[in-house]
Amino acid sequence: MASIKAKKAEKNKAKVKKQADKFVVRDPSSLKAVYAELEAANFSGKQEAALKAIFAALVD
Amino acid sequence: MDFLHASDPVTGEFFGFSVFPDSPWQAAHEAEGHTVIQSPIKPEPRTHFNYLGGVLTPKIEVLLVTDKAEIAADGVAEAVVAVAVAGKEKPANIGLLVAGTVETLNLTNGHGVLAPITAETPCSVEVAILDTITYWGGPVGIEAVEHG
């Protein structure tokens, strides 16, 4: 049980990347991040793949 | 009065002290391969000491300070974290954890400033010391909140 809780906590942690000499942090499970992924997918025509990836990350 | 000190002989981590010899506390530590020794010293707080090199040593204090505890989650607002390492012998760099990611910060005379932190979504960002056996201090938190 402890390892499952730890895994869930890890999943919900903010993700950080370094770009242009700045740390850019985002919570991939936040609605804002989900909307951004969907918007990007609409432009690339990859809506289905994006939706699958988003919901897999949210429910796991 | 003597105290029992428990430490990891490999990492130098200090786990704490007891006043009771031959106790379950001592047995548990020895079962883990930890070193338990007698000492007249009562090291408090426990979190400020280590046993690096097999010797009870005060940890080096590190000060982490942010200029903003709260920023807008718009990918533009920035918070900056400054680092200062105490003591006479200043390290050339120090390892930090930025939202769980390891970052090595170069220091000048024990001082340094992390690259600015921005957030694209509401979230909590913590900057902490990576090596908590050698150093103590922090962490510092920045809250990214919905703007507008």
Side-chain angles (χ1 to χ4, degrees):
Chain A
M1 184 65 79
S3 62
I4 295 171
K5 282 183 181 175
K7 187 180 175 186
K8 282 190 181 293
E10 184 67 31
K11 283 262 182 197
N12 292 331
K13 271 177 64 175
K15 305 291 184 210
V16 60
K17 58 184 174 182
K18 211 168 178 189
Q19 58 186 43
D21 290 329
K22 266 199 279 190
F23 290 103
V24 181
V25 186
R26 67 203 302 259
D27 177 359
S29 66
S30 80
L31 278 177
K32 192 174 176 181
V34 172
Y35 291 150
E37 292 285 344
L38 288 173
E39 197 172 32
N42 279 337
F43 285 116
S44 67
K46 296 178 182 175
Q47 296 93 330
E48 187 179 343
L51 277 171
K52 282 182 179 175
I54 287 165
F55 284 109
L58 287 172
V59 301
D60 268 352
Chain B
M1 179 185 202
D2 269 355
F3 301 91
L4 295 175
H5 293 183
S7 63
D8 187 315
V10 176
T11 65
E13 183 177 358
F14 174 56
F15 300 108
F17 63 89
S18 172
V19 298
F20 302 106
D22 300 322
S23 62
W25 179 91
Q26 179 174 355
H29 277 291
E30 288 174 342
E32 289 289 320
H34 299 160
T35 301
V36 179
I37 62 166
Q38 273 189 317
S39 169
I41 302 171
K42 187 181 182 185
E44 284 185 308
R46 172 188 65 79
T47 53
H48 292 189
F49 291 86
N50 62 49
Y51 255 91
L52 288 171
V55 177
L56 183 67
T57 308
K59 291 183 184 179
I60 300 167
E61 183 177 5
V62 177
L63 186 62
L64 298 173
V65 180
T66 180
D67 65 337
K68 294 187 194 71
E70 189 175 287
I71 56 173
D74 58 3
V76 175
E78 298 179 348
V80 169
V81 174
V83 179
V85 179
K88 291 179 183 175
E89 292 180 22
K90 310 287 188 184
N93 55 61
I94 188 166
L96 299 169
L97 289 169
V98 180
T101 297
V102 176
E103 173 76 7
T104 300
L105 176 67
N106 290 326
L107 303 171
T108 301
N109 195 27
H111 292 84
V113 179
L114 267 178
I117 297 169
T118 67
E120 294 177 334
T121 71
C123 58
S124 300
V125 184
E126 182 183 89
V127 178
I129 300 164
L130 178 64
D131 177 4
T132 55
I133 293 176
T134 306
Y135 304 101
W136 74 272
V140 66
I142 299 159
E143 200 66 32
V145 297
E146 198 62 62
H147 65 291

